[in-house]
Amino acid sequence: MAGRADEGPRPGQPPDRWSQELLDHLRPAVRDPRRVVTWLGRTVGAEVCLQDAHGRLLAGERLPLDAGVLADVVTGRIAAAALQDGARHVRMAGIRHPEQAPAAGAVLAVARPGPFDRRAAEIVARTAGVLELLLRERELSDEGRRLRRATADLRLAILQLLMVEETVSARRVAAGLWPGLLEEDTARVYVVEGSPAERDALADACADATEGRALVVRCPAMDGHVIVVSPGRGAGQRLRALVDGRPGTYLGGSLRQRLARTAAAYGQAVSALAVARFRPDQTAVYAERTHPARLMDPALLGTWSAGVLRPLDALPHHVRAELLATTRLGLEFTAVSAAKVLGVSRNTVRARMDRVEALLGADFSTLTTRTAAHLALNTEAARESYGPAAPDATAPHPPAPVRLADLLASPALCAWAEDLLGRLDGDGRDLRRTLRAWIAADANAERAARELGVHAQTVREHVRAAEPVLERQLLAGGSDLGEIVLAHLATGALPAPVLHDQGANRGQADSVVHK
């Protein structure tokens, strides 16, 4: 009777319990070679070792094995082996690999005190087949993850090139995997915000929604953001449909910009995202609102910007472009965020910004100075994006120096500033006074609170309350806050900063910034 039981079920009989248990290990929720090895050891009363062809332990416990027999199994000379090693009975089975045949990709070794009957031998053989499937699935999953990671890194590299206006290099990188993706000269940038835990799924949904016709990147600076650069048409409508019905998910979009202005478009999308948080449909496109720079005299603005940045003109072109692009991003966001977006260290960003700060004779720790420098950098970026104007050969002398105060004196700019800040006057908490003190304190709530005689949390609450009224994101900094600072400067609520053209470090114009 014992021998008959060892033979296993006869035709027509239900399978043994162990067969069902082994098959259960193929269910998606429990697929794990380690669980299978543990189950095998318990089922046949043995010690089990699963190792790869190089001897690395994959599951179970390390077993002393006959080196010659093990080598024969690994090389594929034999598919399986059964031997008695002292007081132990050992079974070895090669786990096949389709790309390494006839060599084995892994080896399953089972050792126990007693001999293997027919039932135990069949369990070992069947388990080897299941492990082959699980190991192959794991390998394919790992390869898929590596491919997805490499693709994501490539997308990020393209975005980083666009951020520093390297459009030719960005097109070359994109051409290999996404031919024609960046053929257009212009694009819109969208930022989709969700929870960090669901960001990967959100990025995949964005890629599906844009049908491969947009550059979809997981933002390296903000864990919950997905950046979409769309040269084509219709992406905005598809992304709005994606956001619709998703609580806690928001969409901000930019105006159509030249590819060289991707960094500016990204800033617009982030600004629109702040507005989207206050809208029922959770979406917003950067409004063609009145920008303070457009209310300034273009000739005076260009002359002033050129004068501010003149200390950088002696630098080699590529060094100058690198410093300007990095500083513009660092002033738009933070040095840490700019470093993540550009793919360099924060020390590199700070070193580049320190160098620009020294050359301009500016103090970027002061909010009004940062705003003025940012205005000059954005004016320069726009000028270079559309091409410099032809010089006036008839002008006998260079234009007279222009001060920031001259730009702020524009009647149109002053009217715009009063209208914008006047929105705050209807709030009984005197948000306008708090906001002015907060800006004067360089966005430091504690310093502003001491000046106003209130708690720092009150200052933060007032600033946060001003955001939906002004439709601008203030606590996060960037171009939105810069517009509000310029409004305070135009109304005379804050004194205009002076960017001294001292030419600091001018003798070291070619000095290297260490990366």
Side-chain angles (χ1 to χ4, degrees):
M1 292 178 63
R4 192 176 302 168
D6 290 340
E7 293 177 359
R10 288 177 292 181
Q13 290 182 326
D16 287 339
R17 180 179 177 181
W18 67 263
S19 300
Q20 187 60 50
E21 290 177 352
L22 182 58
L23 289 175
D24 285 344
H25 285 284
L26 293 175
R27 289 186 292 113
V30 295
R31 291 174 185 169
D32 187 349
R34 292 171 298 181
R35 293 171 60 98
V36 175
V37 165
T38 300
W39 171 86
L40 176 60
R42 185 175 63 250
T43 302
V44 300
E47 297 174 278
V48 183
C49 169
L50 177 64
Q51 63 185 51
D52 66 13
H54 303 288
R56 290 189 292 265
L57 185 67
L58 301 177
E61 52 190 305
R62 181 74 64 183
L63 295 178
L65 301 173
D66 184 284
V69 177
L70 178 62
D72 288 342
V73 175
V74 169
T75 58
R77 192 171 298 134
I78 57 177
L83 65 150
Q84 185 172 357
D85 186 1
R88 301 183 313 155
H89 293 264
V90 180
R91 289 257 172 173
M92 288 188 234
I95 308 295
R96 295 178 299 172
H97 190 288
E99 297 177 2
Q100 299 176 4
V107 175
L108 175 66
V110 185
R112 69 180 194 173
F116 287 81
D117 53 32
R118 184 172 179 178
R119 173 179 177 275
E122 183 180 1
I123 292 175
V124 172
R126 295 283 183 85
T127 303
V130 169
L131 287 171
E132 179 182 339
L133 294 176
L134 295 182
L135 290 177
R136 182 58 177 162
E137 181 196 42
R138 172 186 286 184
E139 182 181 32
L140 292 174
S141 297
D142 290 343
E143 289 177 355
R145 279 192 294 271
R146 286 193 294 270
L147 179 59
R148 287 192 295 273
R149 178 60 184 271
T151 303
D153 289 346
L154 188 58
R155 291 177 186 272
L156 176 58
I158 295 170
L159 176 65
Q160 290 167 342
L161 289 170
L162 291 174
M163 285 289 195
V164 295
E165 304 177 18
E166 293 284 353
T167 55
V168 174
S169 298
R171 283 180 170 131
R172 286 175 181 167
V173 175
L177 289 179
W178 303 285
L181 177 64
L182 300 179
E183 283 184 353
E184 298 284 341
D185 291 330
T186 62
R188 290 182 185 268
V189 174
Y190 298 91
V191 176
V192 186
E193 180 183 62
S195 69
E198 299 176 353
R199 205 254 296 264
D200 287 346
L202 184 60
D204 292 340
C206 290
D208 292 340
T210 54
E211 300 175 344
R213 294 195 291 269
L215 182 68
V216 179
V217 181
R218 292 161 179 80
C219 178
M222 301 296 292
D223 291 339
H225 287 189
V226 176
I227 303 171
V228 181
V229 181
S230 174
R233 314 284 174 172
Q237 187 63 36
R238 297 188 186 98
L239 292 174
R240 279 191 286 272
L242 173 65
V243 170
D244 185 32
R246 287 183 179 235
T249 305
Y250 306 95
L251 170 68
S254 76
L255 301 175
R256 182 163 290 278
Q257 298 278 6
R258 292 172 62 87
L259 284 180
R261 296 268 291 159
T262 299
Y266 172 59
Q268 291 181 352
V270 172
S271 179
L273 188 64
V275 178
R277 297 190 186 100
F278 303 109
R279 295 212 171 156
D281 62 354
Q282 303 167 194
T283 67
V285 174
Y286 191 75
E288 188 64 75
R289 65 194 187 200
T290 302
H291 303 290
R294 296 182 181 176
L295 300 176
M296 300 176 183
D297 184 286
L300 291 180
L301 178 59
T303 301
W304 172 80
S305 300
V308 169
L309 301 178
R310 186 168 294 121
L312 283 77
D313 291 347
L315 298 171
H317 176 73
H318 70 282
V319 174
R320 182 179 185 274
E322 181 180 69
L323 291 179
L324 291 180
T326 302
T327 304
R328 191 165 61 251
L329 279 176
L331 294 176
E332 175 75 23
F333 305 103
T334 64
V336 175
S337 295
K340 292 178 180 178
V341 170
L342 294 174
V344 299
S345 73
R346 68 183 72 178
N347 290 335
T348 297
V349 172
R350 286 178 176 136
R352 293 174 183 173
M353 293 183 68
D354 287 346
R355 188 175 179 193
V356 173
E357 188 177 27
L359 287 168
L360 299 185
D363 180 7
F364 286 166
S365 65
T366 303
L367 186 54
T368 53
T369 302
R370 289 172 63 91
T371 300
H374 199 203
L375 174 63
L377 290 168
N378 283 339
T379 302
E380 175 74 1
R383 184 187 69 83
E384 292 185 348
S385 175
Y386 292 97
D392 185 0
T394 64
H397 302 288
V402 177
R403 301 171 304 158
L404 179 58
D406 298 328
L407 300 176
L408 298 174
S410 164
L413 180 66
C414 294
W416 165 83
E418 284 291 353
D419 179 69
L420 178 62
L421 298 180
R423 301 179 192 176
L424 301 173
D425 294 340
D427 194 295
R429 292 171 291 181
D430 202 351
L431 299 183
R432 188 165 178 173
R433 175 172 175 263
T434 303
L435 187 58
R436 180 175 63 250
W438 180 71
I439 293 173
D442 299 321
N444 186 298
E446 285 75 14
R447 284 168 48 197
R450 288 195 295 270
E451 177 69 24
L452 296 170
V454 299
H455 196 277
Q457 186 59 31
T458 300
V459 174
R460 296 187 187 96
E461 290 175 357
H462 284 195
V463 174
R464 194 174 291 112
E467 289 185 329
V469 178
L470 299 173
E471 291 190 337
R472 284 161 175 83
Q473 193 173 22
L474 304 178
L475 290 171
S479 59
D480 276 8
L481 177 57
E483 290 188 6
I484 302 304
V485 172
L486 283 174
H488 281 81
L489 295 176
T491 60
L494 295 173
V498 178
L499 296 180
H500 299 287
D501 185 4
Q502 297 173 342
N505 292 343
R506 193 170 290 178
Q508 303 177 27
D510 297 328
S511 61
V512 176
V513 175
H514 296 285
K515 300 182 179 181

